[in-house]
Amino acid sequence: MNELDYLKVQHALGRLSRRDFIGRAIALGASAVAVNSLVLGAEALAAETAQKGGTLRLGLGGGSTTDSLNPLSWNDSVMIDVGFGLFNGLVENSAENRPVPELAEKYEPKDGAKTWIFTLRKGVMFHNGKEFDADDAVYSLNLHRGSDTKSGAAGPMKAVADVKKLDKNQIEVTLASGNADFPTVLTDYHLMMVPNGFTDWAKPVGTGAFTVDRFDPGVRIALKKAGPYWKADRGLLDAVEYNVINDTSARMNALISGQVDAINRADPKTVSRIAKSPTLEIVRAAGGWYPVMAMQDDRDPYTNLDLRKAMKYAVDREQMIKTLFSGYGTLGNDNPIPKSDPYFNSQLEQLKYDPDKAKFYFKKAGLADAKIVLQTSDAAFNGAVDMATLLQATAGKAGITVDVKKEPADGYFDNVWLKGAFVASYWGGRPAATQMLDIAYQSKAPWNESHWNSPKFDKLLTDAQGEVDEAKRKSYIWDMQAMLTDESGTLIPCFRDWLDAKNKKVGGHTPHSGFDMDNGRIAEKAFLKA
């Protein structure tokens, strides 16, 4: 680095004023043109360089007055984003959608991926001053195990047969059967590390960059910097405000008017307004996010397979992508594995809107007087009510009457989801195909919203999880996708791109295929540019 480059960096870092920089550059013999270029370059560099301090104001959909700070209860965007500000897990889902160590420094499988050894990071402190260790990890993982747990991660954690401490900084996790994807299970946003024996969820203690300053669920949550953060390149903000704005238009207007710095679930219909703005920009990521209309297979009239087939052909999938997401998405085939996943079944015939086939199967079902009621809400996702209305229209052309029942946004995921016989919701996808299939379709999974129950499917899932041979593993996963496409009660018309929007002054907010807001890690990864 020569002297001019050194001065440029010092100016970019704010350690040298513009006037002093110009004066010293001229003294070194730089021409006026060269100096001007250097100044512009230094200031552009400063604009992209991570800065410390400031308050990031977020406007987020996906919050409710029933939200709590207990990680076991989280099921939507606001608390997921808050959670990653307060806590860390053992494993992180990287920007490349791969598991990487977080509070675990490293991990390795044994016995055909049936046993996993996790070596924990040393010197990481909880907010209360205690050092994170193996007792904390064992306790935290066990919160999500057993018949009494209310955790949303209870399904995938059922595979865990034992968790034990080997020494102060090492634990062993034994599974009921081998699972080569087990580290991806630990990227689940419920599986946060807390101190051994911790139960006071109203005053959460984690190892995250922030602590709670204010908690007003469904309205506003404020976090403040906890102190020096163990990740040197993250946790740069002084504070983060989460303003719950479930109404899409209000959320977009809050960003445009400058009331907030970034939003999730940007409205695809009005994204062009953002694109034309000199100060705002879209953060777009293709991934595994999908809307779903789930019929519970064990409740009438949806116990009838022919009725479920009729509904599959009654969905105009292309029209839904165009209408709901302005083309920001790809076709779904009633199974949860997107084209971006390496285990996507590319040979499976694509389901298409076919009123004649829908009519044929509906007649075959013999349920002309069936009462079909689809419960939906704007809380499910932006466009969920429109999705239901579209299905009502296209099914009507096949002679199938669908009643749409719009539910209140507040408490939707607590009061309607998993309870109604035919309900609209969404899934954020998972980094591993087996994880997605396990959490929502394994017969005993708590979040099995369609009540899909197939011993054959469960066996294929177990076999896929324990199989290290790629070809065999792929065949199992492909067979499971085919079963869901042909027979399950889940209607998955498409996969939607993640669409966040932000002010250009917000740095570190990058696209992630896992979930919105940088896979929920916006608080620890974002910064405000100078």
Side-chain angles (χ1 to χ4, degrees), residues 184-232:
T184 64
V185 171
L186 299 186
T187 66
D188 190 300
Y189 53 80
H190 300 93
L191 300 175
M192 300 298 188
M193 295 294 108
V194 297
N196 183 22
F198 184 80
T199 57
D200 188 4
W201 298 113
K203 299 176 181 176
V205 174
T207 55
F210 304 93
T211 59
V212 176
D213 187 35
R214 173 179 171 176
F215 184 65
D216 192 356
V219 181
R220 180 174 175 268
I221 301 167
L223 304 185
K224 60 183 179 183
K225 193 171 179 61
Y229 190 37
W230 62 275
K231 298 180 184 180

Short mmCIF file of all heavy atoms in Angstrom, two decimals, residues 184-232:
data_model
loop_
_atom_site.label_atom_id
_atom_site.label_comp_id
_atom_site.label_asym_id
_atom_site.label_seq_id
_atom_site.Cartn_x
_atom_site.Cartn_y
_atom_site.Cartn_z
N THR A 184 -28.11 -29.82 10.23
CA THR A 184 -29.13 -28.88 9.72
C THR A 184 -30.31 -28.78 10.67
O THR A 184 -30.95 -27.73 10.76
CB THR A 184 -29.64 -29.28 8.33
OG1 THR A 184 -30.31 -30.53 8.42
CG2 THR A 184 -28.50 -29.39 7.34
N VAL A 185 -30.61 -29.86 11.38
CA VAL A 185 -31.69 -29.82 12.38
C VAL A 185 -31.37 -28.75 13.42
O VAL A 185 -32.24 -28.00 13.88
CB VAL A 185 -31.86 -31.19 13.06
CG1 VAL A 185 -32.82 -31.09 14.25
CG2 VAL A 185 -32.36 -32.23 12.06
N LEU A 186 -30.10 -28.65 13.79
CA LEU A 186 -29.70 -27.71 14.84
C LEU A 186 -29.65 -26.26 14.37
O LEU A 186 -29.36 -25.36 15.16
CB LEU A 186 -28.34 -28.13 15.42
CG LEU A 186 -28.32 -29.51 16.07
CD1 LEU A 186 -26.97 -29.77 16.74
CD2 LEU A 186 -29.45 -29.68 17.09
N THR A 187 -29.92 -26.01 13.09
CA THR A 187 -30.04 -24.62 12.63
C THR A 187 -31.45 -24.09 12.89
O THR A 187 -31.71 -22.91 12.66
CB THR A 187 -29.73 -24.49 11.12
OG1 THR A 187 -30.73 -25.18 10.37
CG2 THR A 187 -28.37 -25.05 10.78
N ASP A 188 -32.33 -24.95 13.35
CA ASP A 188 -33.72 -24.54 13.65
C ASP A 188 -33.74 -23.36 14.63
O ASP A 188 -33.04 -23.38 15.63
CB ASP A 188 -34.47 -25.74 14.25
CG ASP A 188 -35.96 -25.50 14.37
OD1 ASP A 188 -36.35 -24.54 15.08
OD2 ASP A 188 -36.74 -26.26 13.77
N TYR A 189 -34.58 -22.36 14.35
CA TYR A 189 -34.61 -21.14 15.17
C TYR A 189 -35.14 -21.34 16.57
O TYR A 189 -35.06 -20.43 17.40
CB TYR A 189 -35.39 -20.03 14.46
CG TYR A 189 -36.79 -20.42 14.02
CD1 TYR A 189 -37.84 -20.43 14.91
CD2 TYR A 189 -37.04 -20.78 12.69
CE1 TYR A 189 -39.12 -20.80 14.52
CE2 TYR A 189 -38.31 -21.14 12.28
CZ TYR A 189 -39.35 -21.14 13.19
OH TYR A 189 -40.61 -21.51 12.80
N HIS A 190 -35.72 -22.52 16.85
CA HIS A 190 -36.15 -22.78 18.22
C HIS A 190 -34.99 -23.20 19.12
O HIS A 190 -35.05 -23.03 20.34
CB HIS A 190 -37.18 -23.92 18.25
CG HIS A 190 -38.42 -23.66 17.45
ND1 HIS A 190 -38.57 -24.06 16.15
CD2 HIS A 190 -39.57 -23.03 17.79
CE1 HIS A 190 -39.76 -23.70 15.71
NE2 HIS A 190 -40.39 -23.06 16.68
N LEU A 191 -33.98 -23.80 18.53
CA LEU A 191 -32.94 -24.48 19.29
C LEU A 191 -31.84 -23.53 19.76
O LEU A 191 -30.67 -23.67 19.42
CB LEU A 191 -32.36 -25.62 18.46
CG LEU A 191 -33.38 -26.69 18.03
CD1 LEU A 191 -32.76 -27.71 17.11
CD2 LEU A 191 -33.99 -27.37 19.25
N MET A 192 -32.24 -22.55 20.56
CA MET A 192 -31.31 -21.55 21.06
C MET A 192 -30.66 -22.01 22.38
O MET A 192 -31.27 -22.75 23.15
CB MET A 192 -32.06 -20.23 21.29
CG MET A 192 -32.69 -19.66 20.03
SD MET A 192 -31.44 -19.28 18.78
CE MET A 192 -32.42 -18.43 17.55
N MET A 193 -29.47 -21.53 22.62
CA MET A 193 -28.75 -21.92 23.83
C MET A 193 -29.04 -20.93 24.97
O MET A 193 -28.92 -19.70 24.78
CB MET A 193 -27.24 -21.95 23.54
CG MET A 193 -26.83 -23.01 22.54
SD MET A 193 -27.07 -24.72 23.12
CE MET A 193 -28.47 -25.22 22.10
N VAL A 194 -29.42 -21.46 26.12
CA VAL A 194 -29.68 -20.66 27.32
C VAL A 194 -28.91 -21.30 28.48
O VAL A 194 -28.46 -22.45 28.39
CB VAL A 194 -31.19 -20.61 27.64
CG1 VAL A 194 -31.95 -19.93 26.52
CG2 VAL A 194 -31.74 -22.01 27.88
N PRO A 195 -28.76 -20.58 29.59
CA PRO A 195 -28.03 -21.15 30.73
C PRO A 195 -28.74 -22.37 31.31
O PRO A 195 -29.97 -22.46 31.29
CB PRO A 195 -28.00 -20.00 31.74
CG PRO A 195 -28.19 -18.76 30.94
CD PRO A 195 -29.11 -19.16 29.81
N ASN A 196 -27.97 -23.28 31.84
CA ASN A 196 -28.49 -24.49 32.47
C ASN A 196 -29.54 -24.14 33.53
O ASN A 196 -29.29 -23.34 34.43
CB ASN A 196 -27.33 -25.26 33.12
CG ASN A 196 -27.78 -26.58 33.72
OD1 ASN A 196 -28.82 -27.13 33.33
ND2 ASN A 196 -27.01 -27.08 34.67
N GLY A 197 -30.72 -24.72 33.42
CA GLY A 197 -31.80 -24.51 34.38
C GLY A 197 -32.62 -23.25 34.14
O GLY A 197 -33.56 -22.97 34.90
N PHE A 198 -32.34 -22.50 33.10
CA PHE A 198 -33.02 -21.22 32.88
C PHE A 198 -34.50 -21.43 32.55
O PHE A 198 -34.86 -22.27 31.73
CB PHE A 198 -32.36 -20.47 31.73
CG PHE A 198 -32.93 -19.11 31.48
CD1 PHE A 198 -32.55 -18.05 32.28
CD2 PHE A 198 -33.88 -18.90 30.49
CE1 PHE A 198 -33.10 -16.79 32.08
CE2 PHE A 198 -34.42 -17.64 30.28
CZ PHE A 198 -34.04 -16.59 31.08
N THR A 199 -35.38 -20.62 33.20
CA THR A 199 -36.82 -20.71 32.93
C THR A 199 -37.52 -19.36 32.85
O THR A 199 -38.69 -19.29 32.51
CB THR A 199 -37.52 -21.52 34.06
OG1 THR A 199 -37.26 -20.90 35.32
CG2 THR A 199 -37.05 -22.96 34.08
N ASP A 200 -36.83 -18.28 33.19
CA ASP A 200 -37.47 -16.96 33.25
C ASP A 200 -37.52 -16.34 31.86
O ASP A 200 -36.76 -15.42 31.53
CB ASP A 200 -36.71 -16.05 34.22
CG ASP A 200 -37.45 -14.74 34.47
OD1 ASP A 200 -38.58 -14.60 33.94
OD2 ASP A 200 -36.90 -13.88 35.17
N TRP A 201 -38.48 -16.79 31.04
CA TRP A 201 -38.51 -16.36 29.63
C TRP A 201 -38.90 -14.90 29.47
O TRP A 201 -38.66 -14.31 28.41
CB TRP A 201 -39.45 -17.26 28.85
CG TRP A 201 -39.01 -18.69 28.86
CD1 TRP A 201 -39.63 -19.74 29.46
CD2 TRP A 201 -37.81 -19.22 28.28
NE1 TRP A 201 -38.90 -20.89 29.28
CE2 TRP A 201 -37.79 -20.61 28.57
CE3 TRP A 201 -36.76 -18.67 27.55
CZ2 TRP A 201 -36.75 -21.43 28.14
CZ3 TRP A 201 -35.73 -19.50 27.13
CH2 TRP A 201 -35.73 -20.86 27.43
N ALA A 202 -39.51 -14.31 30.49
CA ALA A 202 -39.85 -12.89 30.38
C ALA A 202 -38.59 -12.02 30.41
O ALA A 202 -38.62 -10.86 29.99
CB ALA A 202 -40.77 -12.49 31.54
N LYS A 203 -37.50 -12.59 30.92
CA LYS A 203 -36.22 -11.88 30.96
C LYS A 203 -35.15 -12.78 30.36
O LYS A 203 -34.32 -13.34 31.08
CB LYS A 203 -35.88 -11.51 32.41
CG LYS A 203 -36.91 -10.60 33.07
CD LYS A 203 -36.56 -10.35 34.53
CE LYS A 203 -37.62 -9.46 35.18
NZ LYS A 203 -37.36 -9.27 36.64
N PRO A 204 -35.18 -12.94 29.06
CA PRO A 204 -34.32 -13.93 28.42
C PRO A 204 -32.83 -13.62 28.57
O PRO A 204 -32.41 -12.47 28.54
CB PRO A 204 -34.74 -13.85 26.95
CG PRO A 204 -35.33 -12.50 26.79
CD PRO A 204 -35.99 -12.19 28.09
N VAL A 205 -32.06 -14.67 28.74
CA VAL A 205 -30.60 -14.57 28.84
C VAL A 205 -30.00 -15.47 27.76
O VAL A 205 -30.20 -16.68 27.78
CB VAL A 205 -30.11 -15.01 30.23
CG1 VAL A 205 -28.58 -15.04 30.26
CG2 VAL A 205 -30.64 -14.06 31.30
N GLY A 206 -29.30 -14.85 26.83
CA GLY A 206 -28.66 -15.61 25.76
C GLY A 206 -27.22 -15.19 25.58
O GLY A 206 -26.64 -14.50 26.44
N THR A 207 -26.65 -15.58 24.45
CA THR A 207 -25.30 -15.15 24.10
C THR A 207 -25.33 -14.23 22.88
O THR A 207 -24.30 -13.97 22.27
CB THR A 207 -24.42 -16.36 23.78
OG1 THR A 207 -25.06 -17.14 22.76
CG2 THR A 207 -24.19 -17.22 25.02
N GLY A 208 -26.53 -13.75 22.50
CA GLY A 208 -26.67 -12.91 21.32
C GLY A 208 -26.13 -11.51 21.52
O GLY A 208 -25.71 -11.13 22.63
N ALA A 209 -26.16 -10.75 20.46
CA ALA A 209 -25.57 -9.40 20.49
C ALA A 209 -26.40 -8.41 21.30
O ALA A 209 -25.89 -7.36 21.70
CB ALA A 209 -25.42 -8.88 19.06
N PHE A 210 -27.67 -8.75 21.58
CA PHE A 210 -28.59 -7.79 22.18
C PHE A 210 -29.33 -8.37 23.37
O PHE A 210 -29.45 -9.59 23.53
CB PHE A 210 -29.60 -7.29 21.14
CG PHE A 210 -28.95 -6.70 19.92
CD1 PHE A 210 -28.71 -7.50 18.80
CD2 PHE A 210 -28.56 -5.37 19.88
CE1 PHE A 210 -28.10 -6.96 17.67
CE2 PHE A 210 -27.95 -4.83 18.76
CZ PHE A 210 -27.71 -5.63 17.65
N THR A 211 -29.87 -7.46 24.20
CA THR A 211 -30.79 -7.83 25.27
C THR A 211 -32.09 -7.06 25.06
O THR A 211 -32.15 -6.11 24.27
CB THR A 211 -30.22 -7.48 26.66
OG1 THR A 211 -29.96 -6.06 26.71
CG2 THR A 211 -28.95 -8.24 26.94
N VAL A 212 -33.13 -7.46 25.79
CA VAL A 212 -34.44 -6.83 25.62
C VAL A 212 -34.48 -5.49 26.34
O VAL A 212 -34.14 -5.39 27.52
CB VAL A 212 -35.55 -7.74 26.17
CG1 VAL A 212 -36.91 -7.04 26.07
CG2 VAL A 212 -35.58 -9.06 25.41
N ASP A 213 -34.91 -4.46 25.62
CA ASP A 213 -35.12 -3.14 26.22
C ASP A 213 -36.60 -2.90 26.47
O ASP A 213 -36.99 -2.29 27.45
CB ASP A 213 -34.55 -2.07 25.29
CG ASP A 213 -34.57 -0.69 25.91
OD1 ASP A 213 -34.38 -0.59 27.14
OD2 ASP A 213 -34.79 0.30 25.18
N ARG A 214 -37.43 -3.42 25.55
CA ARG A 214 -38.88 -3.26 25.68
C ARG A 214 -39.55 -4.40 24.93
O ARG A 214 -39.10 -4.76 23.83
CB ARG A 214 -39.32 -1.92 25.09
CG ARG A 214 -40.83 -1.74 25.02
CD ARG A 214 -41.20 -0.38 24.44
NE ARG A 214 -42.61 -0.27 24.18
CZ ARG A 214 -43.22 0.83 23.76
NH1 ARG A 214 -42.51 1.93 23.56
NH2 ARG A 214 -44.52 0.84 23.53
N PHE A 215 -40.60 -4.96 25.53
CA PHE A 215 -41.31 -6.05 24.87
C PHE A 215 -42.80 -5.80 24.94
O PHE A 215 -43.43 -5.98 25.99
CB PHE A 215 -40.97 -7.39 25.52
CG PHE A 215 -41.60 -8.56 24.81
CD1 PHE A 215 -41.24 -8.88 23.51
CD2 PHE A 215 -42.56 -9.35 25.44
CE1 PHE A 215 -41.82 -9.95 22.84
CE2 PHE A 215 -43.14 -10.42 24.78
CZ PHE A 215 -42.78 -10.72 23.48
N ASP A 216 -43.36 -5.36 23.85
CA ASP A 216 -44.79 -5.11 23.73
C ASP A 216 -45.28 -5.96 22.55
O ASP A 216 -45.33 -5.51 21.40
CB ASP A 216 -45.04 -3.62 23.46
CG ASP A 216 -46.50 -3.24 23.62
OD1 ASP A 216 -47.32 -4.15 23.85
OD2 ASP A 216 -46.81 -2.05 23.51
N PRO A 217 -45.61 -7.24 22.81
CA PRO A 217 -45.89 -8.18 21.72
C PRO A 217 -47.01 -7.70 20.79
O PRO A 217 -48.02 -7.19 21.24
CB PRO A 217 -46.27 -9.46 22.45
CG PRO A 217 -46.64 -9.05 23.84
CD PRO A 217 -45.81 -7.83 24.14
N GLY A 218 -46.76 -7.91 19.52
CA GLY A 218 -47.73 -7.52 18.51
C GLY A 218 -47.70 -6.06 18.17
O GLY A 218 -48.42 -5.61 17.28
N VAL A 219 -46.87 -5.28 18.87
CA VAL A 219 -46.80 -3.84 18.64
C VAL A 219 -45.35 -3.41 18.37
O VAL A 219 -45.01 -3.00 17.26
CB VAL A 219 -47.35 -3.05 19.85
CG1 VAL A 219 -47.29 -1.55 19.58
CG2 VAL A 219 -48.77 -3.48 20.15
N ARG A 220 -44.52 -3.49 19.39
CA ARG A 220 -43.13 -3.02 19.24
C ARG A 220 -42.23 -3.76 20.21
O ARG A 220 -42.57 -3.93 21.39
CB ARG A 220 -43.05 -1.52 19.50
CG ARG A 220 -41.66 -0.93 19.37
CD ARG A 220 -41.73 0.60 19.51
NE ARG A 220 -40.41 1.19 19.51
CZ ARG A 220 -39.69 1.44 20.61
NH1 ARG A 220 -40.21 1.18 21.81
NH2 ARG A 220 -38.50 1.96 20.54
N ILE A 221 -41.09 -4.17 19.71
CA ILE A 221 -40.07 -4.81 20.54
C ILE A 221 -38.77 -4.06 20.30
O ILE A 221 -38.42 -3.75 19.15
CB ILE A 221 -39.91 -6.30 20.16
CG1 ILE A 221 -41.24 -7.03 20.34
CG2 ILE A 221 -38.81 -6.95 21.01
CD1 ILE A 221 -41.27 -8.41 19.71
N ALA A 222 -38.07 -3.72 21.37
CA ALA A 222 -36.81 -2.99 21.24
C ALA A 222 -35.69 -3.78 21.91
O ALA A 222 -35.84 -4.25 23.04
CB ALA A 222 -36.94 -1.60 21.89
N LEU A 223 -34.60 -3.92 21.20
CA LEU A 223 -33.41 -4.57 21.74
C LEU A 223 -32.28 -3.54 21.83
O LEU A 223 -32.21 -2.63 21.02
CB LEU A 223 -32.96 -5.74 20.86
CG LEU A 223 -33.97 -6.84 20.55
CD1 LEU A 223 -33.29 -7.96 19.78
CD2 LEU A 223 -34.62 -7.38 21.81
N LYS A 224 -31.43 -3.72 22.81
CA LYS A 224 -30.26 -2.84 22.94
C LYS A 224 -29.00 -3.68 23.01
O LYS A 224 -29.04 -4.85 23.41
CB LYS A 224 -30.39 -1.97 24.20
CG LYS A 224 -30.49 -2.75 25.49
CD LYS A 224 -30.69 -1.83 26.68
CE LYS A 224 -30.82 -2.64 27.98
NZ LYS A 224 -31.08 -1.77 29.15
N LYS A 225 -27.89 -3.07 22.66
CA LYS A 225 -26.63 -3.81 22.60
C LYS A 225 -26.29 -4.38 23.97
O LYS A 225 -26.39 -3.68 24.99
CB LYS A 225 -25.52 -2.89 22.11
CG LYS A 225 -24.25 -3.61 21.71
CD LYS A 225 -23.28 -2.64 21.04
CE LYS A 225 -21.98 -3.34 20.65
NZ LYS A 225 -22.19 -4.43 19.69
N ALA A 226 -25.88 -5.63 23.99
CA ALA A 226 -25.61 -6.30 25.26
C ALA A 226 -24.21 -6.02 25.78
O ALA A 226 -23.92 -6.29 26.94
CB ALA A 226 -25.79 -7.81 25.10
N GLY A 227 -23.35 -5.49 24.91
CA GLY A 227 -21.95 -5.30 25.28
C GLY A 227 -21.07 -5.87 24.18
O GLY A 227 -21.56 -6.12 23.08
N PRO A 228 -19.81 -6.08 24.43
CA PRO A 228 -18.93 -6.67 23.40
C PRO A 228 -19.48 -8.01 22.93
O PRO A 228 -19.85 -8.85 23.75
CB PRO A 228 -17.59 -6.83 24.14
CG PRO A 228 -17.65 -5.85 25.26
CD PRO A 228 -19.09 -5.79 25.69
N TYR A 229 -19.55 -8.18 21.61
CA TYR A 229 -20.12 -9.40 21.04
C TYR A 229 -19.00 -10.34 20.64
O TYR A 229 -17.96 -9.90 20.13
CB TYR A 229 -20.99 -9.05 19.83
CG TYR A 229 -21.84 -10.17 19.30
CD1 TYR A 229 -22.43 -11.10 20.14
CD2 TYR A 229 -22.07 -10.29 17.93
CE1 TYR A 229 -23.23 -12.12 19.64
CE2 TYR A 229 -22.87 -11.31 17.41
CZ TYR A 229 -23.44 -12.22 18.28
OH TYR A 229 -24.23 -13.24 17.78
N TRP A 230 -19.21 -11.63 20.83
CA TRP A 230 -18.14 -12.60 20.57
C TRP A 230 -17.87 -12.79 19.08
O TRP A 230 -16.83 -13.33 18.71
CB TRP A 230 -18.45 -13.94 21.24
CG TRP A 230 -19.70 -14.65 20.77
CD1 TRP A 230 -20.97 -14.45 21.21
CD2 TRP A 230 -19.77 -15.68 19.79
NE1 TRP A 230 -21.84 -15.29 20.56
CE2 TRP A 230 -21.13 -16.07 19.69
CE3 TRP A 230 -18.83 -16.32 18.98
CZ2 TRP A 230 -21.56 -17.06 18.81
CZ3 TRP A 230 -19.25 -17.31 18.12
CH2 TRP A 230 -20.61 -17.67 18.03
N LYS A 231 -18.78 -12.33 18.22
CA LYS A 231 -18.52 -12.35 16.77
C LYS A 231 -18.02 -10.96 16.39
O LYS A 231 -18.80 -10.00 16.40
CB LYS A 231 -19.80 -12.68 15.99
CG LYS A 231 -20.38 -14.05 16.29
CD LYS A 231 -21.63 -14.28 15.46
CE LYS A 231 -22.28 -15.60 15.80
NZ LYS A 231 -23.50 -15.86 15.00
N ALA A 232 -16.76 -10.86 16.04
CA ALA A 232 -16.15 -9.55 15.84
C ALA A 232 -16.79 -8.75 14.71
O ALA A 232 -16.83 -7.52 14.77
CB ALA A 232 -14.66 -9.73 15.57
#
